[in-house]
Amino acid sequence: MESIDSLLKRLDQLNEIGVSLSRERDINRLLESILIAAKEITHADGGTLYRVTEDGQSLRFEIMRTDSLGIARGGTAKEGINLPTLPLHLPDGRPNDSLVAAYAAIHHETVNIADAYTEPNFDFSGTKQFDLRTGYRSQSFLAVPMKNHEGEIIGVLQLINAKHPVTGQVVSFHMADQSLAESLASQAAIAITNRDLVIQLESLFEAFIGLINLAVDEKSQHTGGHCQRVPELTLMLADAANAATQGPLASFHMSERDRYELKIAALLHDCGKVTTPVHVVDKATKLQTLFDRVELLQTRFEVVRRDAQIAALEAKLELATGTEPDRIAKMQAIDDALAGTLQRIAEDSDFVREVNRGGEAMSEADIERVQSLRERYHWTPHGSTSQAFLSADEAENLSIRAGTLTAKERDIINYHIVATIKMLEQLPWPKHLKNVPEYAGGHHERMDGKGYPKGLKRDQMSVQARIMGIADIFEALTAKDRPYKQGMKLSQAMDIMRRFKANGHIDPDLFDVFASSGVYRRYAEEFLDPWQIDDVSVS
């Protein structure tokens, strides 16, 4: 009979196990800890932890351990479990009472068997085949159902071959073993249920985030991809920084919770774009509003061209009816002048089409040429008077120095980060996610304080916010789905990033990790087109 001291020791061990289970966040480590703890307090040689499948019709193998055979499958073990589930009901609908684990789950009661080979009420044919293959001798069994707070069976804890703590001989599971195992199963069920609830809430929360990103995606197919790729690149760089053992970032470390917090921030970093007008987000050309107004200008060029032709024909007709001796020469001069005018109109038409596309930079000469078009041509709309060829708004848009957005439209785009911060600061973040607004709201700041919206400097920003800044820029440079440009090659994008490092735009230490660890190339291999991936010097 077990001594009082031994029993008290095992009760203390049970309490310690309960405390440790409540702290474990990883579901696989949690399940493994439950099985190992059950084996320890009952002195069992082996055991299996089953969980009820999502449809509630069978038991799924989760963790298997047999010490004497060196078997460790599932959980954190390298070897997984590739075994069929145990059905709780037979094909005709009757309960599958022949299997010990299934019986415990179906009837909500513990099954304690002294010797499987002499037990008449259960089918141990599978166990005997296992013993035959391995030379093992399965003897005592203890199957304990695990119930959640609502009394529902969520799994079964099955232990095999209790060993005498002194002699090591296989014995039956005593009632004290059964009581301890049942107590542990109860604590384990609570821990598993709590972990499942947390996982479900996190999944629901991430689904809501996905819903926000879907709303942005539906507004613009171009920003939707950005909202998915930036989190991937952010976590790649964060993991590389976390792995650094030398240099300025050697002291930077993230726990799994820290990483999850950064993931959520990255997923939400552009949620404020739900407030941005679609025609600004999707402005593919300089003259685009709800449609591309360049076609209106092409129509005006056609009107100007025809006006020039009509004027030339009228002048020639007047000469033809006259008696001037040099009228033939004058007609030729009119034709020559018309040809020159038509050539200039065609060149200006092509020029307008080209500058309307936008680009990295527009020269001063091109800007002056746009302004000159306002007065070079005049046209007369139906029922109106002669007007300048370009309106003030059209001239302003065509004179955009880089990209396709005017200063006003750029402010509208930039406001999305203000909206993001406002939206995120309204949420009652739990302690482990309290930094999400700061991380998400800082990806447009610069190390030199010239960013927006707060003009923060490097020492005022977290490492995580600086990581997101690099991810956001690099994704934008290489994105292949932007309406106004094609994605850059790696070498070109990395050259720009180096300049950003030098001029105080991005964090220099993080960029060094970004380059030296090969994060940029791993990202490229997953998200860029093959033609974009070229050789890059990381020196």
Side-chain angles (χ1 to χ4, degrees):
M1 184 173 179
E2 185 173 12
S3 68
I4 297 297
D5 288 342
S6 176
L7 182 58
L8 289 174
K9 183 179 179 180
R10 290 209 285 172
L11 286 174
D12 287 340
Q13 188 179 9
L14 181 63
N15 290 332
E16 292 175 3
I17 291 168
V19 173
S20 64
L21 292 181
S22 67
R23 288 197 300 259
E24 183 57 66
R25 286 177 49 80
D26 183 87
I27 189 66
N28 287 321
R29 287 198 298 265
L30 175 62
L31 297 176
E32 185 174 32
S33 298
I34 291 168
L35 180 58
I36 292 173
K39 285 170 65 275
E40 288 178 352
I41 63 172
T42 60
H43 307 297
D45 180 52
T48 301
L49 191 149
Y50 305 90
R51 293 194 71 186
V52 176
T53 56
E54 288 73 13
D55 60 7
Q57 298 303 308
S58 56
L59 294 175
R60 179 177 61 244
F61 288 85
E62 293 285 355
I63 313 286
M64 294 176 64
R65 296 289 186 273
T66 305
D67 295 343
S68 60
L69 293 178
I71 294 176
R73 298 177 185 173
T76 60
K78 293 181 179 179
E79 187 177 357
I81 301 176
N82 186 24
L83 293 173
T85 59
L86 305 182
L88 295 178
H89 295 87
L90 300 173
D92 60 5
R94 289 181 297 126
N96 187 9
D97 289 341
S98 63
L99 300 179
V100 175
Y103 184 94
I106 294 168
H107 297 282
H108 296 208
E109 64 181 64
T110 300
V111 179
N112 191 336
I113 295 174
D115 191 339
Y117 280 75
T118 60
E119 172 58 45
N121 297 318
F122 293 99
D123 178 9
F124 283 103
S125 58
T127 298
K128 293 174 182 177
Q129 289 176 9
F130 173 82
D131 289 352
L132 190 62
R133 289 196 312 270
T134 62
Y136 192 67
R137 174 62 165 86
S138 302
Q139 184 173 320
S140 55
F141 276 74
L142 183 66
V144 183
M146 294 189 293
K147 302 179 185 179
N148 64 16
H149 61 289
E150 295 179 340
E152 298 172 339
I153 297 296
I154 64 170
V156 173
L157 186 60
Q158 180 172 282
L159 303 170
I160 303 174
N161 284 3
K163 288 188 174 183
H164 191 282
V166 178
T167 65
Q169 293 295 313
V170 175
V171 296
S172 61
F173 288 95
H174 299 300
M175 288 307 299
D177 296 326
Q178 180 173 327
S179 296
L180 288 171
E182 288 172 342
S183 178
L184 175 59
S186 177
Q187 294 183 57
I190 293 172
I192 292 173
T193 301
N194 287 342
R195 189 64 231 149
D196 284 344
L197 287 173
V198 170
I199 292 172
Q200 291 168 13
L201 288 173
E202 287 177 347
S203 298
L204 180 61
F205 178 55
E206 290 183 36
F208 273 115
I209 294 174
L211 198 63
I212 294 173
N213 284 341
L214 178 63
V216 175
D217 194 8
E218 288 296 311
K219 289 186 68 175
S220 169
Q221 58 180 327
H222 313 296
T223 57
H226 175 79
C227 291
Q228 302 305 318
R229 292 188 293 267
V230 167
E232 296 287 342
L233 183 52
T234 295
L235 293 179
M236 286 183 185
L237 179 52
D239 290 340
N242 189 51
T245 57
Q246 298 178 339
L249 290 166
S251 61
F252 173 71
H253 297 292
M254 289 192 309
S255 65
E256 281 300 313
R257 281 197 164 199
D258 295 334
R259 191 178 188 275
Y260 182 73
E261 183 178 36
L262 180 58
K263 173 187 173 182
I264 295 301
L267 286 169
L268 287 168
H269 82 284
D270 269 350
C271 65
K273 283 184 177 177
V274 297
T275 67
T276 307
V278 177
H279 72 275
V280 178
V281 175
D282 275 0
K283 192 181 181 190
T285 63
K286 294 181 178 182
L287 289 173
Q288 182 172 328
T289 51
L290 297 179
F291 63 96
D292 192 348
R293 293 176 292 167
V294 73
E295 298 304 328
L296 295 181
L297 299 193
Q298 295 305 310
T299 300
R300 291 178 205 167
F301 275 121
E302 181 63 20
V303 171
V304 170
R305 185 181 69 84
R306 292 183 183 182
D307 284 349
Q309 290 175 323
I310 291 171
L313 288 173
E314 287 177 343
K316 289 174 68 176
L317 181 60
E318 184 177 347
L319 286 173
T321 57
T323 57
E324 297 181 32
D326 58 347
R327 61 181 182 275
I328 301 299
K330 288 183 177 180
M331 286 184 182
Q332 184 59 51
I334 291 172
D335 286 340
D336 292 343
L338 176 62
T341 298
L342 295 180
Q343 177 66 26
R344 187 172 67 251
I345 291 172
E347 291 173 353
D348 287 340
S349 174
D350 292 341
F351 168 73
V352 166
R353 278 196 181 277
E354 182 62 30
V355 299
N356 182 50
R357 294 192 181 98
E360 296 300 324
M362 187 175 182
S363 67
E364 287 293 337
D366 285 345
I367 293 175
E368 291 177 3
R369 185 174 177 182
V370 167
Q371 297 301 322
S372 70
L373 290 178
R374 291 199 66 192
E375 300 302 330
R376 177 179 299 171
Y377 305 112
H378 285 76
W379 72 296
T380 305
H382 178 70
S384 183
T385 57
S386 178
Q387 297 181 7
F389 188 77
L390 298 177
S391 68
D393 179 71
E394 291 164 345
E396 177 189 3
N397 276 269
L398 285 174
S399 300
I400 294 170
R401 293 181 179 275
T404 61
L405 301 177
T406 64
K408 183 178 179 180
E409 290 166 341
R410 178 65 61 186
D411 287 341
I412 293 173
I413 287 286
N414 290 349
Y415 180 77
H416 83 271
I417 193 63
V418 177
T420 294
I421 294 172
K422 284 184 177 180
M423 290 167 66
L424 297 183
E425 286 182 344
Q426 294 298 311
L427 298 178
W429 296 100
K431 184 178 179 180
H432 69 288
L433 296 176
K434 63 183 176 63
N435 294 310
V436 166
E438 189 260 319
Y439 296 166
H443 68 277
H444 283 302
E445 302 290 353
R446 292 174 46 134
M447 303 306 101
D448 56 10
K450 297 179 181 178
Y452 63 91
K454 297 180 180 180
L456 301 177
K457 292 188 176 181
R458 182 187 185 191
D459 58 1
Q460 297 174 296
M461 300 170 61
S462 63
V463 174
Q464 287 88 339
R466 286 178 257 159
I467 287 173
M468 285 190 57
I470 289 177
D472 189 72
I473 293 171
F474 189 77
E475 191 286 329
L477 293 175
T478 56
K480 57 189 179 182
D481 56 5
R482 297 301 169 94
Y484 49 85
K485 70 175 186 67
Q486 65 177 148
M488 293 181 183
K489 289 187 176 182
L490 270 185
S491 57
Q492 184 182 3
M494 288 296 282
D495 283 343
I496 292 175
M497 296 294 283
R498 286 192 192 93
R499 292 199 294 272
F500 283 176
K501 168 190 170 181
N503 67 18
H505 196 133
I506 61 176
D507 186 282
D509 298 332
L510 283 169
F511 176 72
D512 289 343
V513 171
F514 181 74
S516 63
S517 66
V519 167
Y520 71 93
R521 186 163 293 278
R522 291 199 300 275
Y523 172 81
E525 289 170 351
E526 186 171 350
F527 293 102
L528 303 189
D529 285 338
W531 69 265
Q532 292 180 268
I533 304 175
D534 58 355
D535 292 334
V536 175
S537 172
V538 296
S539 59

